[in-house]
Amino acid sequence: MSRSDSKRAVPPVSSVVMRAAQAVVPSLTVVVVLLAAWQGAVSLFAPSEFLVPAPLAVVHAMIQSRHALLAAAWMTGSSAVLGFLMAAVIGVTLGSMLAASKFLMRGLYPIATLLQMVPLVAIAPLLVVWCGYGARTSIASAVIVSVFPVLAATLDGMRSTDLGLVELFAVNRASRLQRWWKLELPWAIPSIVTGLRIAAGLSVIGAIVGEFVGAFAGDQSPVGILIVSAIRENRTDLVFAAVSVAALVGFALFGVVSLVGWILLRRWHASAG
Amino acid sequence: MLQRIEISQVGRVYDDGFVALAGASFDIRAGSMTVLVGPSGCGKTTLLRLIGGLDHPTSGRVIFHGAAGALQQPRTAFAFQEARLLPWRTVLDNVALPLELAGVAPAERIERATAMLTRVGLGGATRKLPGQLSGGMRMRASIARALVTAPQLLLLDEPFGAVDEISRHALDDLLRSLWAELAMTVVMVTHSIVEATYVAEQVVVMAPAPGRIVAQFTPSFAHHSPLLRATPEFAAVNAEVLRSLGEAMVGAQR
Ligand SMILES: Nc1ncnc2c1ncn2[C@@H]1O[C@H](COP(=O)(O)OP(=O)(O)OP(=O)(O)O)[C@@H](O)[C@H]1O
Ligand SMILES: [Mg+2]
């Protein structure tokens, strides 16, 4: 008993915080050093503001345009989140269907793989034709880029289900739906979480590409429009600021997905031994 | 009521033409404890799956006799060589799984699973995850899961093959007492001759290439206690089983 007692059911939160800190501190240090070097180089060589703005100039632009940037982050972020959620549902559903049927898999998976090779920027203008100008195009664009990693991860995860456990369910006369819900889906969770993490970052990129082609400038503009109009106005500092905001949105989404994944996977980690 | 299971000229040829089992015949009395023993590849798992209805014979039949003629496959449970627990479920939820799949209400299945876990000596580990158990504890959970549906026929495929010898003896004793208590028919596959001699009422010895039955024994000891394994009468029966296995192997090599 003592042997199994010494293994903990769930990693304690304090050790998780410690590990997170250990993971973050080195990269944070690198970022700070790089920013300092960049600032130093700009003051030393004094290139035109239009080519490379100094980090402090970017920070200045951020503060100055904070309302526009916040609104842009909100608009782009919600398109990305909506697109991500739809991609998650579609990806897991399609992945489950392909995993359940050899026929569907042989028929659809190669096509899905091919579609995935089509560059998003090439079909983005078409999305405008289909979805019109506005958020719908950027949501659709976010869905398109992020659905495949989820689909592939779901399919792979489910296809790797332990055959002994499949037999166990067969012996107990489980229905196909029971087998999916109680065995294949939980079995695939680690793989699906990996797919979702990739999709989280891609969905922000997808949303911005959609905005490049299909959004309009109004009182409030999304990040994609902000970047395009800042370039037209030679406001490179604002471009950098908008790009940073987009990166932050992507990072936040990635973080939330990772956290949810970690919570879902705690049981798996505890059982790995 | 099930009275006996008749294995009648049962053969199984796999799709690749391999004869895994060539006409096996023997009877299993309802409520008895039968052990299949034999070298690897002699068709023990094949035969067990045929008895359990997981697979169908290519020749012969498995007949379940009742008082008034043949019956359907009785309520059957399996336990495998590996525990096959779902790693994300607690021990309790793993054991309750067959009831859950059968649509038993939550309160009842928790009660029944808890009772069975207590019976196999895991009353204190119901909330643990499989990864937190020792190999022997996992096998106990697997047995509890097989028994929770109150099966009439329990089929065990080398259930304790991966456990150390001391735990294995304890599990053999547990199995015998559960069998005595729950009035079910048990068919178990093992590699261990000592286990077969100790546990069984009927030992069926099998040989490979092609898979067949070469001998049957009905060990019966006056006192069945753990120390039986150390007695000369046990050693004598054990030697008999061993000899028949040895002869079968020599025969197979020719
Ligand atoms: N699906 C299959 N297709 C073809 N051959 C098979 C199949 N399943 C089993 N066999 C063969 O049939 C023979 C008997 O297999 P079986 O699993 O019944 O043996 P076993 O007595 O249980 O062996 P072990 O003690 O190693 O578990 C083996 O030689 C095996 O290779
Ligand atoms: Mg076997």
Side-chain angles (χ1 to χ4, degrees):
Chain A
M1 283 300 281
S2 64
R3 191 180 75 90
S4 52
D5 280 346
S6 68
K7 292 189 208 164
R8 311 197 52 147
V10 155
V13 172
S14 63
S15 91
V16 171
V17 171
M18 273 294 287
R19 258 187 289 148
Q22 278 170 358
V24 163
V25 167
S27 52
L28 219 57
T29 314
V30 171
V31 169
V32 168
V33 168
L34 281 179
L35 284 178
W38 176 7
Q39 180 74 38
V42 169
S43 355
L44 200 63
F45 303 112
S48 127
E49 193 56 0
F50 160 70
L51 280 178
V52 192
L56 286 178
V58 174
V59 171
H60 186 72
M62 273 181 166
I63 295 167
Q64 220 178 19
S65 310
R66 61 188 178 279
H67 295 300
L69 285 169
L70 265 180
W74 172 251
M75 288 176 80
T76 302
S78 40
S79 294
V81 167
L82 275 173
F84 168 80
L85 290 177
M86 285 166 72
V89 173
I90 296 171
V92 171
T93 308
L94 279 181
S96 300
M97 284 165 57
L98 297 203
S101 153
K102 278 217 167 67
F103 179 80
L104 279 184
M105 197 188 74
R106 295 206 182 110
L108 290 181
Y109 198 51
I111 298 175
T113 314
L114 265 179
L115 284 181
Q116 133 93 356
M117 309 284 177
V118 176
L120 179 65
V121 272
I123 50 171
L126 267 181
L127 293 178
V128 184
V129 174
W130 292 330
C131 306
Y133 284 92
R136 283 205 302 193
T137 288
S138 50
I139 294 171
S141 163
V143 172
I144 287 174
V145 272
S146 39
V147 80
F148 189 79
V150 183
L151 190 162
T154 306
L155 182 59
D156 282 354
M158 288 190 174
R159 278 165 54 83
S160 73
T161 308
D162 186 287
L163 289 179
L165 294 179
V166 172
E167 191 178 48
L168 172 75
F169 272 64
V171 165
N172 285 291
R173 296 163 195 278
S175 69
R176 192 64 192 78
L177 196 65
Q178 284 176 323
R179 193 172 106 195
W180 175 74
W181 177 245
K182 292 177 197 292
L183 175 60
E184 290 164 344
L185 191 62
W187 181 271
I189 291 276
S191 174
I192 293 175
V193 165
T194 305
L196 288 177
R197 278 163 42 162
I198 297 169
L202 287 179
S203 68
V204 178
I205 299 176
I208 292 176
V209 169
E211 288 160 4
F212 279 161
V213 293
F216 40 76
D219 297 344
Q220 292 183 340
S221 309
V223 173
I225 292 294
L226 216 58
I227 291 174
V228 173
S229 54
I231 289 215
R232 285 208 196 100
E233 293 160 20
N234 288 345
R235 286 285 311 277
T236 313
D237 55 341
L238 194 54
V239 173
F240 271 79
V243 168
S244 310
V245 164
L248 283 178
V249 169
F251 194 70
L253 192 48
F254 180 85
V256 169
V257 173
S258 298
L259 182 69
V260 171
W262 177 76
I263 290 167
L264 283 175
L265 290 179
R266 271 190 307 174
R267 301 214 130 188
W268 277 89
H269 291 313
S271 288
Chain B
M1 259 311 266
L2 181 68
Q3 291 194 326
R4 83 191 153 92
I5 304 169
E6 183 187 354
I7 317 295
S8 170
Q9 291 298 323
V10 166
R12 178 68 168 99
V13 181
Y14 281 112
D15 293 342
D16 59 0
F18 187 84
V19 183
L21 206 58
S25 290
F26 64 100
D27 267 22
I28 299 168
R29 192 173 49 76
S32 70
M33 169 83 81
T34 301
V35 174
L36 310 178
V37 64
S40 184
C42 68
K44 304 183 296 293
T45 299
T46 301
L47 181 53
L48 201 69
R49 290 172 56 89
L50 291 172
I51 296 173
L54 283 186
D55 189 11
H56 299 287
T58 43
S59 61
R61 301 208 297 146
V62 177
I63 308 162
F64 300 96
H65 291 281
L71 304 171
Q72 296 293 307
Q73 177 86 38
R75 202 164 52 250
T76 306
F78 268 88
F80 307 91
Q81 178 161 6
E82 327 80 50
R84 300 195 184 174
L85 302 170
L86 304 182
W88 55 87
R89 282 186 175 227
T90 62
V91 170
L92 181 66
D93 289 342
N94 262 293
V95 171
L97 179 72
L99 300 175
E100 193 180 319
L101 294 174
V104 174
E108 185 189 340
R109 66 187 188 228
I110 286 172
E111 187 191 315
R112 284 168 68 180
T114 309
M116 196 48 78
L117 277 166
T118 309
R119 182 61 193 82
V120 301
L122 285 180
T126 55
R127 294 265 145 240
K128 285 186 186 287
L129 293 168
Q132 300 168 301
L133 302 183
S134 70
M137 291 165 90
R138 274 183 224 149
M139 273 338 290
R140 283 172 196 266
S142 159
I143 300 285
R145 182 183 57 199
L147 292 176
V148 79
T149 53
Q152 295 168 277
L153 176 59
L154 175 64
L155 304 176
L156 305 148
D157 193 355
E158 293 184 44
F160 313 135
V163 209
D164 65 276
E165 196 178 346
I166 297 170
S167 309
R168 185 177 195 148
H169 286 177
L171 286 164
D172 286 342
D173 286 319
L174 173 69
L175 179 62
R176 266 198 74 99
S177 67
L178 285 167
W179 163 67
E181 192 178 306
L182 300 175
M184 56 190 169
T185 312
V186 179
V187 182
M188 170 163 133
V189 165
T190 181
H191 273 139
S192 159
I193 294 151
V194 173
E195 183 169 57
T197 314
Y198 183 76
V199 167
E201 283 187 312
Q202 168 172 248
V203 178
V204 176
V205 181
M206 298 178 65
R212 69 214 133 96
I213 290 163
V214 289
Q216 286 182 56
F217 298 90
T218 48
S220 105
F221 301 104
H223 301 289
H224 223 107
S225 74
L227 282 178
L228 171 67
R229 297 180 183 96
T231 62
E233 52 169 337
F234 182 84
V237 178
N238 208 39
E240 263 188 81
V241 178
L242 194 57
R243 198 172 307 120
S244 74
L245 252 173
E247 283 165 10
M249 287 309 286
V250 171
Q253 273 157 17
R254 269 204 297 265

